[in-house]
Amino acid sequence: MSADGAHITTEDSNITTVMEFILLGFSDVPHLKWLLFGIFFLMYLSILMCNIVIILVTRIDPALQTPMYFFLSNFSFVEICYVTVTIPRMLVDFCAQKRNMSLLSCAMQVWFFFTFGGTECFLLTVMAYDRYVAICKPLLYALTMNHRVCVQLLTACWVCDILVVTGETYQIFSLSFCGSNRINHFFCDIPPILRLACGDTFVNNLAIFVVSAVLIMVPFLLIIVSYGKIICSILKLSSAGGRSKAFSTCSSHLIVVVLYYGTVAVTYIRPNPNASEGIGKLLSLFYTVLIPLLNPIIYTLKNKDISAALRKLPKKLLT
């Protein structure tokens, strides 16, 4: 058996097995390298700072000690982890001559990326359920959404997602990869990785479709059901002010759901997984960078409680 850098060649079978990948990233536009580096670096810093501020205000301000903001602070924490899986590596690749990533590192990036991404999906579902109970069953809200239940729901989000993602990651990286080791992407994503696998990957693509449907479509449908009931309850309110307040508490969450689920669903539940790699890379930028940047802005601009807490934050930090 002879080894050669990123490949190992087995003499008996004359099959070259890939041992590491090369992320092409944005190497097709070298003249924009430093411009893109600056843009993504500033976006990453903005995402970190905005989400840290949300975590601070939801933990410090007594008015925000409610289940809704408990889940929002956890969502912000997951969002920080989610973007940190991909953007720092992308920034390093802008500066590096070699963009090599070992098979193990690639598998770890896939696991962490889908663990945090899937947990976000489940958290958005739990947040929709919280709004459903608050608006449709207000008298039972304190009992139904007590702290113990909130912690149990949060734990369930993590456990369910980790179990599914661990099994799927093991299945993908149990495959043999041969031939090209170049991934036309800025991180180790499942569709471009499967294109490099040896043999027929129909079963694996089918499994990805099913898992994506479970992690994306099932939570999305539950959110739609929750908001269907919420809208019906709001329309029954006699007070126009009450209807306006109820809609305002849900609108920011609904905008985030539509943006996030829309781009993720198009990427992972496409009928043709071998569609243009360029389109896949562009869509990935939406849900890995742009939407995480917009999320805290949407929550702060559309939420009067957080806006008020932000105005009081400097004084609380200085006292």
Side-chain angles (χ1 to χ4, degrees):
M1 180 180 289
S2 63
D4 179 22
H7 301 79
I8 289 181
T9 304
T10 307
E11 294 175 356
D12 295 338
S13 59
N14 199 30
I15 294 176
T16 302
T17 304
V18 172
M19 297 305 294
E20 66 179 23
F21 298 109
I22 298 173
L23 294 172
L24 298 181
F26 299 95
S27 58
D28 54 335
V29 285
H31 56 290
L32 297 177
K33 179 173 71 172
W34 294 113
L35 175 63
L36 292 173
F37 176 89
I39 291 171
F40 289 129
F41 179 69
L42 290 175
M43 292 174 81
Y44 179 58
L45 285 183
S46 299
I47 292 167
L48 293 185
M49 290 173 62
C50 291
N51 282 291
I52 288 170
V53 167
I54 287 176
I55 292 171
L56 279 175
V57 297
T58 53
R59 295 298 172 89
I60 293 174
D61 197 302
L64 302 183
Q65 305 303 305
T66 64
M68 179 171 72
Y69 297 111
F70 169 78
F71 291 123
L72 179 58
S73 66
N74 279 278
F75 183 82
S76 292
F77 169 74
V78 175
E79 192 93 298
I80 290 171
C81 298
Y82 176 71
V83 296
T84 302
V85 173
T86 56
I87 300 180
R89 169 72 203 205
M90 178 172 61
L91 295 174
V92 169
D93 285 343
F94 277 120
C95 307
Q97 294 295 322
K98 296 180 68 178
R99 301 181 178 89
N100 295 21
M101 179 179 272
S102 69
L103 199 65
L104 177 60
S105 297
C106 190
M108 289 177 65
Q109 189 180 51
V110 167
W111 188 86
F112 280 111
F113 179 76
F114 285 96
T115 294
F116 296 129
T119 301
E120 282 194 355
C121 288
F122 288 128
L123 269 174
L124 288 171
T125 309
V126 170
M127 290 164 78
Y129 174 71
D130 171 73
R131 292 298 80 210
Y132 159 72
V133 177
I135 293 172
C136 299
K137 301 181 179 180
L139 298 178
L140 298 174
Y141 183 69
L143 180 65
T144 305
M145 299 301 294
N146 60 63
H147 184 69
R148 181 167 167 268
V149 171
C150 291
V151 172
Q152 288 174 342
L153 288 170
L154 179 64
T155 304
C157 290
W158 282 100
V159 172
C160 293
D161 184 59
I162 286 172
L163 290 174
V164 173
V165 171
T166 300
E168 193 57 36
T169 304
Y170 175 79
Q171 182 200 44
I172 291 166
F173 286 91
S174 296
L175 296 168
S176 296
F177 299 92
C178 52
S180 174
N181 67 336
R182 295 171 176 267
I183 298 177
N184 187 15
H185 216 309
F186 56 89
F187 72 100
C188 281
D189 200 5
I190 289 176
I193 290 172
L194 283 179
R195 294 189 191 105
L196 305 181
C198 304
D200 185 12
T201 59
F202 172 78
V203 173
N204 303 93
N205 280 311
L206 182 62
I208 293 296
F209 180 85
V210 172
V211 169
S212 298
V214 171
L215 290 180
I216 298 170
M217 296 311 298
V218 171
F220 182 69
L221 290 174
L222 290 173
I223 291 171
I224 293 300
V225 170
S226 297
Y227 273 101
K229 293 185 176 182
I230 287 170
I231 291 170
C232 288
S233 295
I234 291 174
L235 293 176
K236 291 177 183 178
L237 295 174
S238 56
S239 167
R243 288 196 297 271
S244 176
K245 185 178 179 181
F247 273 121
S248 68
T249 61
C250 300
S251 59
S252 56
H253 179 254
L254 198 54
I255 291 168
V256 170
V257 167
V258 171
L259 288 173
Y260 183 76
Y261 277 94
T263 51
V264 171
V266 170
T267 302
Y268 295 102
I269 315 185
R270 281 182 292 177
N272 180 13
N274 297 315
S276 170
E277 292 179 341
I279 293 174
K281 196 189 300 186
L282 182 63
L283 285 170
S284 297
L285 278 176
F286 272 90
Y287 64 80
T288 58
V289 183
L290 185 60
I291 293 173
L293 178 66
L294 293 175
N295 284 349
I297 298 171
I298 293 168
Y299 275 116
T300 52
L301 289 179
K302 299 289 290 183
N303 192 300
K304 293 179 181 178
D305 293 336
I306 291 184
S307 297
L310 285 173
R311 288 192 292 271
K312 295 184 287 183
L313 182 62
K315 185 179 178 180
K316 286 182 177 290
L317 291 175
L318 292 173
T319 55

